């Protein structure tokens, strides 16, 4: 299982870098350094923030440069397969969602492993999955995706919460991984397909006196 | 005192979440997830940054989920009492200022407690009070409030500095809390009422040759 | 060497604060607090992020307030010599580049010192030099300089990488400092003078179907 999980971590990191380089390229026409920087931030931002909040050092990419190689490879793939990747956006949504699901659950598990409360672990799982993109959007001066898009971070939070609950109930780890991850993928893909969104915090705008 | 202080910490965290959810709702029309996320960041951002800078782990909300419950409650209150809260903006300024004052002083005390130099402790107190709002503004693509508004972070810095100085002089803790906190509240409310601001760094703009 | 290095660290921190206060003043007309805050963030942001990523506590400015005095002094100098400094922008580019070069190399060395992999150390060197400016630009709602400007972060990465390689090869430390630092200065100044830039990640924009 360790080996399979590690394979997924490295692959997921590479996919995040592809996603970051594509996102950067679509709006800012960066140079190679900028695209790599954004791919890097997107890939390691969420997990790094989680570990810094947990005080869990060293960070994954600081102790394992294989993750950095995966990022560099992802940025090159994003360049070489740029047109096909943009054309295959729908397939890419699937890959992206698989990556997010995996990061959310691995992140929640890591937080549990250092003794975090279940609610905190679910938050950390969601952070692992989405905060890389949030930091990327903030640096490129975009309103972060989680405030704009369809159900996305919410799916990660829900899946991470289910994972944490199942873990507390003693559900076998591999089974729990697949059930919780499947939940994230299903929620996000259905929400995207059916254009579902959460209810607005307030249906009215601010009152005129504001 | 511990119990009273803890009561204030939890209440203050909830007020920060109300303030964050209101601020988010006024400009971005977020969904429930977005409003909660922004309320959360506003409430825990300053203290988390302080503790990450100090290397003081675990963070308060990671080890005590009561703070998270206070945040969730604050977001619900912001929704249910949305119109009255916006109408009572002037009263809310008072609550907001009380919260900021408390966070600034508790933050400075925490920094002193882990051995920080007095100047560093005053900075950490100010950070505890204002950086949650700064991170919130940055994520929602606003120029952070501390660069726009009347005397605000400056009041927090002044109060935290007085607290640190008094602590060094051996002033009794409870007294010091009230004196320093009162100073922050008075400075901010007077500055707001009288529309006071600090002098500009430069009265001229950049020279034409720039 | 320690004393010389410390002198450079303090001086470099002051220069970063000057640079930050000037940059803030050019666009946002801040008050004294805002200019000092931005000078502070610019000066300590990169090194603080590096140390937080490495889990290396306490941070430099938390344990040594001399760095804070250098920042305050830098902000005052930026105000008093505002017009001459803006006029002497070309000379200032040289000072700025010297500061960046020093931070990049000291940052890489620090990362090596806590056992980081050479690639990680080169990234940390680059972060030390540029992330203060990135955080400053993000807070003031600018697209960070590293995505806009000529070869800049790339020069820092290149110099830090050469330093790390040389250190691995056993090159004497002082010599290594000057060789690697000189490389950063030369790359940046030549790139600026000749208006060189890295190749774009993609020469085409996004395809119309995107």
């Amino acid at each position: 299982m360790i080996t399979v999980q590690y394979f997924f971590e490295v692959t997921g990191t590479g996919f995040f870098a592809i996603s970051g380089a594509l996102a950067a390229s679509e709006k800012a026409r960066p140079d190679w350094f900028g695209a790599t920087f954004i791919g890097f931030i997107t890939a390691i931002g969420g997990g790094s923030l989680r570990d810094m909040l947990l005080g869990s050092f060293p960070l994954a990419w600081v102790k394992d440069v294989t993750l950095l190689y995966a990022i560099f490879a992802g940025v090159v793939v994003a360049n070489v397969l740029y047109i096909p990747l943009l054309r295959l956006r729908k397939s890419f949504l699937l890959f992206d969602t698989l990556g997010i699901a995996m990061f959310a659950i691995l992140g929640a598990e890591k937080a549990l492993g250092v003794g975090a409360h279940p609610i905190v672990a679910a938050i950390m799982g969601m952070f692992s999955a989405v905060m890389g993109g949030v930091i990327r959007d903030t640096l490129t001066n975009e309103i972060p995706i989680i405030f704009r898009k369809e159900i996305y971070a919410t799916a990660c939070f829900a899946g991470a919460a289910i994972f944490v609950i199942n873990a507390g109930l003693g559900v076998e780890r591999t089974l729990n991984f697949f059930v919780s991850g499947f939940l994230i993928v299903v929620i996000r893909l259905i929400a995207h397909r059916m254009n579902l969104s959460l209810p607005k915090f307030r249906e009215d705008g601010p009152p005129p006196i504001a």
Side-chain angles (χ1 to χ4, degrees), chain A residues 82-101:
Chain A
Y82 186 69
I83 302 295
L85 280 170
L86 287 182
R87 273 187 213 281
L88 294 172
R89 197 162 274 275
K90 275 177 192 160
S91 325
F92 194 73
L93 178 71
L94 178 60
F95 280 117
D96 189 50
T97 305
L98 287 172
I100 284 165

Side-chain angles (χ1 to χ4, degrees), chain A residues 98-164:
Chain A
L98 287 172
I100 284 165
M102 194 188 63
F103 271 50
I105 291 168
L106 290 176
E109 185 176 52
K110 172 141 196 194
L112 285 181
V114 299
H117 185 279
I119 298 179
V120 173
I123 293 174
M124 291 298 183
M126 185 260 288
F127 270 23
S128 310
V130 308
M131 291 305 272
V134 168
I135 298 169
R136 175 197 66 208
D137 289 343
T138 303
L139 288 180
T140 54
N141 233 349
E142 298 275 317
I143 299 279
I145 184 172
I146 58 168
F147 305 130
R148 288 179 281 127
K149 272 255 224 99
E150 78 282 356
I151 288 158
Y152 169 76
T154 317
C156 295
F157 183 77
I162 294 295
F163 177 82
V164 165

Side-chain angles (χ1 to χ4, degrees), chain A residues 2 11 30 45 51 53 62 100 116-117 128 169 199 207 209:
Chain A
I2 290 296
T11 319
D51 288 345
L53 289 169
V62 168
I100 284 165
H117 185 279
S128 310
L169 297 173
I209 57 145

Side-chain angles (χ1 to χ4, degrees), chain A residues 24 31 36 42 49 53 64 80 102-103 114 119 130 159 188 201 207:
Chain A
D31 60 25
T36 307
T42 308
L49 180 63
L53 289 169
D64 179 11
V80 172
M102 194 188 63
F103 271 50
V114 299
I119 298 179
V130 308
R188 186 179 181 205
F201 183 65

